[in-house]
Amino acid sequence: MFNNWDVGGGLGDFWAYIREPRPHRWTMWGVAIALTWVIFHGVSQYLIPYEKPERQIIYFENWQADRSEADIRADWVARAKETTRENARRRAEYQKLADLLGVDYDSSEADKLTRETLGQEADELAKKPAPTRSTLAERAARGPKPATAPRQP
């Protein structure tokens, strides 16, 4: 059925149908084109609206023009240390996830870099005890929690 397509015959039949003199053919063509335009215009304008981006005011840190090189470097170092702290926190979270999943996760190179950057503070970050979660067996061994009385209005 779909193996032998006759595109030329189909186009010829369509052209013959269009050329037949019908009393309202131009009116129907006009209505068909106008209706198609209205539908496409309506879809493009109202169903898929395009919102123009609003102006944004982006504030940035304004530095004094007479800052010294030492001040500039101190700012850089402070931002680098904050980034390193955040990376160490994320690394600790990934380590916890790896421990829960039983996946080997080696962060020794990154920990060494953190110690070089933060010094004593890195050891304090590493010493913070990770909050331990109790297992289902431990919770079952503790027994049920005491029920609290419902509040009355």
PDB file of all heavy atoms in Angstrom, residues 102-135:
ATOM      1  N   GLY A 102      29.112   2.606  50.404  1.00  0.00           N
ATOM      2  CA  GLY A 102      30.185   1.618  50.342  1.00  0.00           C
ATOM      3  C   GLY A 102      31.099   1.811  49.149  1.00  0.00           C
ATOM      4  O   GLY A 102      31.650   0.854  48.624  1.00  0.00           O
ATOM      5  N   VAL A 103      31.271   3.043  48.730  1.00  0.00           N
ATOM      6  CA  VAL A 103      32.110   3.358  47.572  1.00  0.00           C
ATOM      7  C   VAL A 103      33.429   3.910  48.078  1.00  0.00           C
ATOM      8  O   VAL A 103      33.477   4.672  49.044  1.00  0.00           O
ATOM      9  CB  VAL A 103      31.405   4.402  46.670  1.00  0.00           C
ATOM     10  CG1 VAL A 103      32.290   4.818  45.524  1.00  0.00           C
ATOM     11  CG2 VAL A 103      30.092   3.872  46.184  1.00  0.00           C
ATOM     12  N   ASP A 104      34.532   3.504  47.409  1.00  0.00           N
ATOM     13  CA  ASP A 104      35.837   4.055  47.773  1.00  0.00           C
ATOM     14  C   ASP A 104      35.924   5.490  47.287  1.00  0.00           C
ATOM     15  O   ASP A 104      35.704   5.780  46.107  1.00  0.00           O
ATOM     16  CB  ASP A 104      36.962   3.241  47.133  1.00  0.00           C
ATOM     17  CG  ASP A 104      37.072   1.852  47.745  1.00  0.00           C
ATOM     18  OD1 ASP A 104      36.669   1.709  48.912  1.00  0.00           O
ATOM     19  OD2 ASP A 104      37.541   0.941  47.054  1.00  0.00           O
ATOM     20  N   TYR A 105      36.239   6.395  48.187  1.00  0.00           N
ATOM     21  CA  TYR A 105      36.354   7.815  47.850  1.00  0.00           C
ATOM     22  C   TYR A 105      37.622   8.318  48.503  1.00  0.00           C
ATOM     23  O   TYR A 105      37.736   8.354  49.722  1.00  0.00           O
ATOM     24  CB  TYR A 105      35.122   8.575  48.353  1.00  0.00           C
ATOM     25  CG  TYR A 105      35.157  10.065  48.091  1.00  0.00           C
ATOM     26  CD1 TYR A 105      34.976  10.555  46.821  1.00  0.00           C
ATOM     27  CD2 TYR A 105      35.357  10.971  49.129  1.00  0.00           C
ATOM     28  CE1 TYR A 105      35.001  11.920  46.564  1.00  0.00           C
ATOM     29  CE2 TYR A 105      35.381  12.328  48.887  1.00  0.00           C
ATOM     30  CZ  TYR A 105      35.195  12.792  47.604  1.00  0.00           C
ATOM     31  OH  TYR A 105      35.223  14.137  47.367  1.00  0.00           O
ATOM     32  N   ASP A 106      38.598   8.672  47.686  1.00  0.00           N
ATOM     33  CA  ASP A 106      39.883   9.111  48.204  1.00  0.00           C
ATOM     34  C   ASP A 106      40.025  10.599  47.983  1.00  0.00           C
ATOM     35  O   ASP A 106      40.090  11.073  46.856  1.00  0.00           O
ATOM     36  CB  ASP A 106      41.016   8.362  47.500  1.00  0.00           C
ATOM     37  CG  ASP A 106      42.382   8.734  48.062  1.00  0.00           C
ATOM     38  OD1 ASP A 106      42.440   9.153  49.236  1.00  0.00           O
ATOM     39  OD2 ASP A 106      43.372   8.617  47.329  1.00  0.00           O
ATOM     40  N   SER A 107      40.064  11.344  49.073  1.00  0.00           N
ATOM     41  CA  SER A 107      40.202  12.791  48.969  1.00  0.00           C
ATOM     42  C   SER A 107      41.507  13.261  49.604  1.00  0.00           C
ATOM     43  O   SER A 107      41.614  14.393  50.038  1.00  0.00           O
ATOM     44  CB  SER A 107      39.018  13.473  49.653  1.00  0.00           C
ATOM     45  OG  SER A 107      39.008  13.164  51.028  1.00  0.00           O
ATOM     46  N   SER A 108      42.504  12.396  49.628  1.00  0.00           N
ATOM     47  CA  SER A 108      43.752  12.745  50.311  1.00  0.00           C
ATOM     48  C   SER A 108      44.474  13.915  49.636  1.00  0.00           C
ATOM     49  O   SER A 108      45.008  14.792  50.319  1.00  0.00           O
ATOM     50  CB  SER A 108      44.667  11.525  50.391  1.00  0.00           C
ATOM     51  OG  SER A 108      44.947  11.050  49.087  1.00  0.00           O
ATOM     52  N   GLU A 109      44.500  13.955  48.302  1.00  0.00           N
ATOM     53  CA  GLU A 109      45.170  15.061  47.610  1.00  0.00           C
ATOM     54  C   GLU A 109      44.461  16.385  47.897  1.00  0.00           C
ATOM     55  O   GLU A 109      45.095  17.400  48.169  1.00  0.00           O
ATOM     56  CB  GLU A 109      45.186  14.804  46.103  1.00  0.00           C
ATOM     57  CG  GLU A 109      46.099  13.686  45.663  1.00  0.00           C
ATOM     58  CD  GLU A 109      47.559  14.039  45.887  1.00  0.00           C
ATOM     59  OE1 GLU A 109      47.934  15.200  45.659  1.00  0.00           O
ATOM     60  OE2 GLU A 109      48.310  13.144  46.306  1.00  0.00           O
ATOM     61  N   ALA A 110      43.142  16.363  47.854  1.00  0.00           N
ATOM     62  CA  ALA A 110      42.390  17.585  48.128  1.00  0.00           C
ATOM     63  C   ALA A 110      42.533  17.988  49.589  1.00  0.00           C
ATOM     64  O   ALA A 110      42.625  19.187  49.904  1.00  0.00           O
ATOM     65  CB  ALA A 110      40.921  17.378  47.785  1.00  0.00           C
ATOM     66  N   ASP A 111      42.553  17.010  50.516  1.00  0.00           N
ATOM     67  CA  ASP A 111      42.746  17.331  51.929  1.00  0.00           C
ATOM     68  C   ASP A 111      44.128  17.947  52.166  1.00  0.00           C
ATOM     69  O   ASP A 111      44.277  18.853  52.989  1.00  0.00           O
ATOM     70  CB  ASP A 111      42.580  16.068  52.789  1.00  0.00           C
ATOM     71  CG  ASP A 111      41.149  15.572  52.798  1.00  0.00           C
ATOM     72  OD1 ASP A 111      40.240  16.387  52.536  1.00  0.00           O
ATOM     73  OD2 ASP A 111      40.939  14.372  53.054  1.00  0.00           O
ATOM     74  N   LYS A 112      45.128  17.447  51.446  1.00  0.00           N
ATOM     75  CA  LYS A 112      46.481  18.006  51.585  1.00  0.00           C
ATOM     76  C   LYS A 112      46.499  19.465  51.128  1.00  0.00           C
ATOM     77  O   LYS A 112      47.070  20.333  51.788  1.00  0.00           O
ATOM     78  CB  LYS A 112      47.452  17.167  50.754  1.00  0.00           C
ATOM     79  CG  LYS A 112      48.907  17.577  50.894  1.00  0.00           C
ATOM     80  CD  LYS A 112      49.799  16.626  50.134  1.00  0.00           C
ATOM     81  CE  LYS A 112      50.300  17.357  48.935  1.00  0.00           C
ATOM     82  NZ  LYS A 112      51.212  16.597  48.098  1.00  0.00           N
ATOM     83  N   LEU A 113      45.831  19.747  50.017  1.00  0.00           N
ATOM     84  CA  LEU A 113      45.761  21.116  49.517  1.00  0.00           C
ATOM     85  C   LEU A 113      44.999  22.011  50.502  1.00  0.00           C
ATOM     86  O   LEU A 113      45.380  23.154  50.752  1.00  0.00           O
ATOM     87  CB  LEU A 113      45.079  21.139  48.152  1.00  0.00           C
ATOM     88  CG  LEU A 113      44.938  22.504  47.500  1.00  0.00           C
ATOM     89  CD1 LEU A 113      46.304  23.073  47.183  1.00  0.00           C
ATOM     90  CD2 LEU A 113      44.097  22.399  46.251  1.00  0.00           C
ATOM     91  N   THR A 114      43.943  21.472  51.089  1.00  0.00           N
ATOM     92  CA  THR A 114      43.181  22.241  52.074  1.00  0.00           C
ATOM     93  C   THR A 114      44.047  22.561  53.289  1.00  0.00           C
ATOM     94  O   THR A 114      44.010  23.675  53.810  1.00  0.00           O
ATOM     95  CB  THR A 114      41.931  21.446  52.507  1.00  0.00           C
ATOM     96  OG1 THR A 114      41.147  21.173  51.348  1.00  0.00           O
ATOM     97  CG2 THR A 114      41.104  22.222  53.501  1.00  0.00           C
ATOM     98  N   ARG A 115      44.831  21.586  53.741  1.00  0.00           N
ATOM     99  CA  ARG A 115      45.726  21.839  54.890  1.00  0.00           C
ATOM    100  C   ARG A 115      46.778  22.882  54.552  1.00  0.00           C
ATOM    101  O   ARG A 115      47.126  23.709  55.384  1.00  0.00           O
ATOM    102  CB  ARG A 115      46.399  20.531  55.321  1.00  0.00           C
ATOM    103  CG  ARG A 115      45.746  19.939  56.533  1.00  0.00           C
ATOM    104  CD  ARG A 115      46.448  18.707  57.049  1.00  0.00           C
ATOM    105  NE  ARG A 115      45.476  17.611  56.978  1.00  0.00           N
ATOM    106  CZ  ARG A 115      45.431  16.686  56.047  1.00  0.00           C
ATOM    107  NH1 ARG A 115      46.331  16.653  55.098  1.00  0.00           N
ATOM    108  NH2 ARG A 115      44.498  15.769  56.046  1.00  0.00           N
ATOM    109  N   GLU A 116      47.279  22.857  53.327  1.00  0.00           N
ATOM    110  CA  GLU A 116      48.262  23.861  52.914  1.00  0.00           C
ATOM    111  C   GLU A 116      47.631  25.252  52.883  1.00  0.00           C
ATOM    112  O   GLU A 116      48.260  26.230  53.250  1.00  0.00           O
ATOM    113  CB  GLU A 116      48.823  23.527  51.527  1.00  0.00           C
ATOM    114  CG  GLU A 116      49.749  22.354  51.509  1.00  0.00           C
ATOM    115  CD  GLU A 116      50.174  21.989  50.097  1.00  0.00           C
ATOM    116  OE1 GLU A 116      49.782  22.705  49.145  1.00  0.00           O
ATOM    117  OE2 GLU A 116      50.883  20.997  49.942  1.00  0.00           O
ATOM    118  N   THR A 117      46.376  25.332  52.446  1.00  0.00           N
ATOM    119  CA  THR A 117      45.721  26.626  52.308  1.00  0.00           C
ATOM    120  C   THR A 117      45.248  27.169  53.641  1.00  0.00           C
ATOM    121  O   THR A 117      45.481  28.329  53.968  1.00  0.00           O
ATOM    122  CB  THR A 117      44.514  26.507  51.357  1.00  0.00           C
ATOM    123  OG1 THR A 117      44.976  25.976  50.123  1.00  0.00           O
ATOM    124  CG2 THR A 117      43.889  27.856  51.110  1.00  0.00           C
ATOM    125  N   LEU A 118      44.563  26.324  54.416  1.00  0.00           N
ATOM    126  CA  LEU A 118      43.932  26.811  55.639  1.00  0.00           C
ATOM    127  C   LEU A 118      44.773  26.608  56.895  1.00  0.00           C
ATOM    128  O   LEU A 118      44.513  27.247  57.909  1.00  0.00           O
ATOM    129  CB  LEU A 118      42.578  26.124  55.829  1.00  0.00           C
ATOM    130  CG  LEU A 118      41.540  26.393  54.738  1.00  0.00           C
ATOM    131  CD1 LEU A 118      40.281  25.620  55.017  1.00  0.00           C
ATOM    132  CD2 LEU A 118      41.239  27.865  54.629  1.00  0.00           C
ATOM    133  N   GLY A 119      45.733  25.728  56.860  1.00  0.00           N
ATOM    134  CA  GLY A 119      46.591  25.503  58.016  1.00  0.00           C
ATOM    135  C   GLY A 119      45.840  24.860  59.165  1.00  0.00           C
ATOM    136  O   GLY A 119      45.195  23.820  59.025  1.00  0.00           O
ATOM    137  N   GLN A 120      45.910  25.481  60.349  1.00  0.00           N
ATOM    138  CA  GLN A 120      45.305  24.939  61.574  1.00  0.00           C
ATOM    139  C   GLN A 120      43.786  24.810  61.434  1.00  0.00           C
ATOM    140  O   GLN A 120      43.182  23.901  61.983  1.00  0.00           O
ATOM    141  CB  GLN A 120      45.643  25.856  62.757  1.00  0.00           C
ATOM    142  CG  GLN A 120      45.192  25.369  64.104  1.00  0.00           C
ATOM    143  CD  GLN A 120      45.961  24.135  64.554  1.00  0.00           C
ATOM    144  OE1 GLN A 120      47.053  23.864  64.059  1.00  0.00           O
ATOM    145  NE2 GLN A 120      45.390  23.398  65.470  1.00  0.00           N
ATOM    146  N   GLU A 121      43.172  25.704  60.717  1.00  0.00           N
ATOM    147  CA  GLU A 121      41.725  25.684  60.555  1.00  0.00           C
ATOM    148  C   GLU A 121      41.253  24.420  59.839  1.00  0.00           C
ATOM    149  O   GLU A 121      40.166  23.910  60.100  1.00  0.00           O
ATOM    150  CB  GLU A 121      41.279  26.921  59.772  1.00  0.00           C
ATOM    151  CG  GLU A 121      39.794  27.103  59.714  1.00  0.00           C
ATOM    152  CD  GLU A 121      39.403  28.347  58.944  1.00  0.00           C
ATOM    153  OE1 GLU A 121      40.279  29.181  58.650  1.00  0.00           O
ATOM    154  OE2 GLU A 121      38.206  28.466  58.639  1.00  0.00           O
ATOM    155  N   ALA A 122      42.072  23.873  58.945  1.00  0.00           N
ATOM    156  CA  ALA A 122      41.708  22.653  58.225  1.00  0.00           C
ATOM    157  C   ALA A 122      41.597  21.486  59.188  1.00  0.00           C
ATOM    158  O   ALA A 122      40.718  20.633  59.057  1.00  0.00           O
ATOM    159  CB  ALA A 122      42.731  22.345  57.147  1.00  0.00           C
ATOM    160  N   ASP A 123      42.492  21.445  60.171  1.00  0.00           N
ATOM    161  CA  ASP A 123      42.418  20.367  61.157  1.00  0.00           C
ATOM    162  C   ASP A 123      41.149  20.489  61.995  1.00  0.00           C
ATOM    163  O   ASP A 123      40.535  19.482  62.362  1.00  0.00           O
ATOM    164  CB  ASP A 123      43.657  20.392  62.064  1.00  0.00           C
ATOM    165  CG  ASP A 123      44.927  20.093  61.275  1.00  0.00           C
ATOM    166  OD1 ASP A 123      44.831  19.365  60.258  1.00  0.00           O
ATOM    167  OD2 ASP A 123      46.001  20.584  61.666  1.00  0.00           O
ATOM    168  N   GLU A 124      40.752  21.720  62.297  1.00  0.00           N
ATOM    169  CA  GLU A 124      39.520  21.918  63.057  1.00  0.00           C
ATOM    170  C   GLU A 124      38.301  21.496  62.245  1.00  0.00           C
ATOM    171  O   GLU A 124      37.353  20.939  62.790  1.00  0.00           O
ATOM    172  CB  GLU A 124      39.401  23.380  63.482  1.00  0.00           C
ATOM    173  CG  GLU A 124      40.450  23.816  64.480  1.00  0.00           C
ATOM    174  CD  GLU A 124      40.443  25.309  64.715  1.00  0.00           C
ATOM    175  OE1 GLU A 124      39.489  25.975  64.246  1.00  0.00           O
ATOM    176  OE2 GLU A 124      41.384  25.811  65.342  1.00  0.00           O
ATOM    177  N   LEU A 125      38.319  21.785  60.936  1.00  0.00           N
ATOM    178  CA  LEU A 125      37.215  21.350  60.090  1.00  0.00           C
ATOM    179  C   LEU A 125      37.141  19.830  60.030  1.00  0.00           C
ATOM    180  O   LEU A 125      36.057  19.250  60.018  1.00  0.00           O
ATOM    181  CB  LEU A 125      37.370  21.898  58.668  1.00  0.00           C
ATOM    182  CG  LEU A 125      37.041  23.372  58.459  1.00  0.00           C
ATOM    183  CD1 LEU A 125      37.401  23.782  57.037  1.00  0.00           C
ATOM    184  CD2 LEU A 125      35.578  23.628  58.719  1.00  0.00           C
ATOM    185  N   ALA A 126      38.318  19.185  59.995  1.00  0.00           N
ATOM    186  CA  ALA A 126      38.346  17.724  59.923  1.00  0.00           C
ATOM    187  C   ALA A 126      37.953  17.087  61.255  1.00  0.00           C
ATOM    188  O   ALA A 126      37.415  15.983  61.281  1.00  0.00           O
ATOM    189  CB  ALA A 126      39.737  17.251  59.523  1.00  0.00           C
ATOM    190  N   LYS A 127      38.196  17.782  62.368  1.00  0.00           N
ATOM    191  CA  LYS A 127      37.894  17.219  63.685  1.00  0.00           C
ATOM    192  C   LYS A 127      36.419  17.277  64.038  1.00  0.00           C
ATOM    193  O   LYS A 127      35.979  16.595  64.945  1.00  0.00           O
ATOM    194  CB  LYS A 127      38.680  17.956  64.767  1.00  0.00           C
ATOM    195  CG  LYS A 127      40.145  17.636  64.777  1.00  0.00           C
ATOM    196  CD  LYS A 127      40.841  18.403  65.873  1.00  0.00           C
ATOM    197  CE  LYS A 127      42.336  18.188  65.821  1.00  0.00           C
ATOM    198  NZ  LYS A 127      43.036  18.978  66.812  1.00  0.00           N
ATOM    199  N   LYS A 128      35.654  18.111  63.339  1.00  0.00           N
ATOM    200  CA  LYS A 128      34.238  18.211  63.656  1.00  0.00           C
ATOM    201  C   LYS A 128      33.597  16.842  63.501  1.00  0.00           C
ATOM    202  O   LYS A 128      33.703  16.221  62.446  1.00  0.00           O
ATOM    203  CB  LYS A 128      33.534  19.200  62.716  1.00  0.00           C
ATOM    204  CG  LYS A 128      33.787  20.630  63.057  1.00  0.00           C
ATOM    205  CD  LYS A 128      32.946  21.528  62.179  1.00  0.00           C
ATOM    206  CE  LYS A 128      33.211  22.980  62.512  1.00  0.00           C
ATOM    207  NZ  LYS A 128      32.469  23.869  61.633  1.00  0.00           N
ATOM    208  N   PRO A 129      32.948  16.358  64.530  1.00  0.00           N
ATOM    209  CA  PRO A 129      32.344  15.038  64.411  1.00  0.00           C
ATOM    210  C   PRO A 129      31.160  15.085  63.454  1.00  0.00           C
ATOM    211  O   PRO A 129      30.330  15.972  63.508  1.00  0.00           O
ATOM    212  CB  PRO A 129      31.893  14.714  65.834  1.00  0.00           C
ATOM    213  CG  PRO A 129      31.723  16.046  66.480  1.00  0.00           C
ATOM    214  CD  PRO A 129      32.723  16.964  65.835  1.00  0.00           C
ATOM    215  N   ALA A 130      31.145  14.118  62.602  1.00  0.00           N
ATOM    216  CA  ALA A 130      30.038  14.038  61.655  1.00  0.00           C
ATOM    217  C   ALA A 130      28.808  13.525  62.394  1.00  0.00           C
ATOM    218  O   ALA A 130      28.905  12.612  63.209  1.00  0.00           O
ATOM    219  CB  ALA A 130      30.396  13.088  60.520  1.00  0.00           C
ATOM    220  N   PRO A 131      27.660  14.121  62.152  1.00  0.00           N
ATOM    221  CA  PRO A 131      26.467  13.630  62.830  1.00  0.00           C
ATOM    222  C   PRO A 131      26.165  12.212  62.358  1.00  0.00           C
ATOM    223  O   PRO A 131      26.077  11.939  61.165  1.00  0.00           O
ATOM    224  CB  PRO A 131      25.376  14.603  62.385  1.00  0.00           C
ATOM    225  CG  PRO A 131      25.899  15.264  61.172  1.00  0.00           C
ATOM    226  CD  PRO A 131      27.385  15.215  61.261  1.00  0.00           C
ATOM    227  N   THR A 132      26.070  11.323  63.326  1.00  0.00           N
ATOM    228  CA  THR A 132      25.817   9.932  62.990  1.00  0.00           C
ATOM    229  C   THR A 132      24.325   9.673  62.993  1.00  0.00           C
ATOM    230  O   THR A 132      23.588  10.205  63.821  1.00  0.00           O
ATOM    231  CB  THR A 132      26.507   9.004  64.000  1.00  0.00           C
ATOM    232  OG1 THR A 132      26.031   9.326  65.299  1.00  0.00           O
ATOM    233  CG2 THR A 132      28.013   9.180  63.957  1.00  0.00           C
ATOM    234  N   ARG A 133      23.921   8.861  62.082  1.00  0.00           N
ATOM    235  CA  ARG A 133      22.517   8.483  62.006  1.00  0.00           C
ATOM    236  C   ARG A 133      22.385   7.079  62.565  1.00  0.00           C
ATOM    237  O   ARG A 133      23.194   6.206  62.283  1.00  0.00           O
ATOM    238  CB  ARG A 133      22.047   8.537  60.560  1.00  0.00           C
ATOM    239  CG  ARG A 133      22.069   9.936  60.005  1.00  0.00           C
ATOM    240  CD  ARG A 133      21.691   9.979  58.585  1.00  0.00           C
ATOM    241  NE  ARG A 133      20.395   9.327  58.377  1.00  0.00           N
ATOM    242  CZ  ARG A 133      19.785   9.262  57.221  1.00  0.00           C
ATOM    243  NH1 ARG A 133      20.341   9.800  56.174  1.00  0.00           N
ATOM    244  NH2 ARG A 133      18.628   8.663  57.085  1.00  0.00           N
ATOM    245  N   SER A 134      21.369   6.895  63.331  1.00  0.00           N
ATOM    246  CA  SER A 134      21.175   5.571  63.905  1.00  0.00           C
ATOM    247  C   SER A 134      20.581   4.640  62.862  1.00  0.00           C
ATOM    248  O   SER A 134      19.840   5.051  61.980  1.00  0.00           O
ATOM    249  CB  SER A 134      20.251   5.655  65.118  1.00  0.00           C
ATOM    250  OG  SER A 134      19.008   6.187  64.735  1.00  0.00           O
ATOM    251  N   THR A 135      20.925   3.381  63.000  1.00  0.00           N
ATOM    252  CA  THR A 135      20.396   2.398  62.074  1.00  0.00           C
ATOM    253  C   THR A 135      19.022   1.950  62.544  1.00  0.00           C
ATOM    254  O   THR A 135      18.596   2.239  63.666  1.00  0.00           O
ATOM    255  CB  THR A 135      21.326   1.181  61.984  1.00  0.00           C
ATOM    256  OG1 THR A 135      21.384   0.568  63.266  1.00  0.00           O
ATOM    257  CG2 THR A 135      22.721   1.589  61.525  1.00  0.00           C
TER     258      THR A 135
END
